[in-house]
Amino acid sequence: MKVSRIALLLAAATVLEFFVGGSPHRSVFPVDWFLLATATAARGGDFVRAVLAGAAAGFLEDGISQRMLGLNAFAKALLGYALTIVAVRVVFGGAVAVGAALAAASLVNEAIVALLLALLVQSPIVIVSRDALWRAAATGVTGGDLEAA
């Protein structure tokens, strides 16, 4: 995947997160647009680009939604690497498999951020919550729909 296409994906994810994420209706369909951009970059099979795209996506997400920069950047970089391994080694069987992988990646992202917050700020560890499950389901469904399209 070319760098210009990755930049376009990150810009689209930022715009979607800024307008949809800032909406009062965010809880209706809370898609992790930055994870979808990271997964799209990882699909190309280039580890370096996937990790850098994940780090950039996570840093942009932190700039919009977190008070600490770097939490989602680390998580998305790690997920970019893991999703590239999955993309290179496994042949997916369609939109359902892609959606399930993205839902699992969304839960892993939430767990990594929760653990980092617990280590750095001594906040309580809440790895799986109702909001995290709903966000994972929304991200998985959206990723599966984009794969089917």
Side-chain angles (χ1 to χ4, degrees):
M1 177 169 279
K2 294 183 180 182
V3 175
S4 61
R5 191 171 289 171
I6 292 172
L8 184 64
L9 279 170
L10 293 177
T14 303
V15 167
L16 285 169
E17 186 71 27
F18 184 74
F19 287 117
V20 178
S23 168
H25 306 292
R26 164 97 171 133
S27 60
V28 174
F29 202 66
V31 177
D32 189 352
W33 299 107
F34 293 106
L35 180 62
L36 292 177
T38 302
T40 304
R43 203 160 178 193
D46 189 358
F47 287 100
V48 174
R49 286 192 182 166
V51 169
L52 291 176
F59 195 73
L60 286 170
E61 183 176 4
D62 286 336
I64 292 174
S65 65
Q66 292 281 338
R67 63 183 186 272
M68 288 184 68
L69 296 177
L71 300 175
N72 280 303
F74 179 74
K76 296 274 191 297
L78 207 62
L79 286 172
Y81 185 79
L83 288 172
T84 304
I85 289 174
V86 170
V88 168
R89 305 270 187 240
V90 178
V91 176
F92 279 117
V96 175
V98 169
L102 286 171
S106 178
L107 287 175
V108 169
N109 183 59
E110 295 286 335
I112 291 170
V113 169
L115 289 173
L116 286 174
L117 278 173
L119 289 172
L120 297 173
V121 190
Q122 281 79 35
S123 67
I125 298 176
V126 180
I127 293 177
V128 178
S129 65
R130 183 181 310 162
D131 292 335
L133 291 174
W134 182 239
R135 184 174 169 115
T139 302
V141 167
T142 303
D145 285 347
L146 289 174
E147 174 67 22

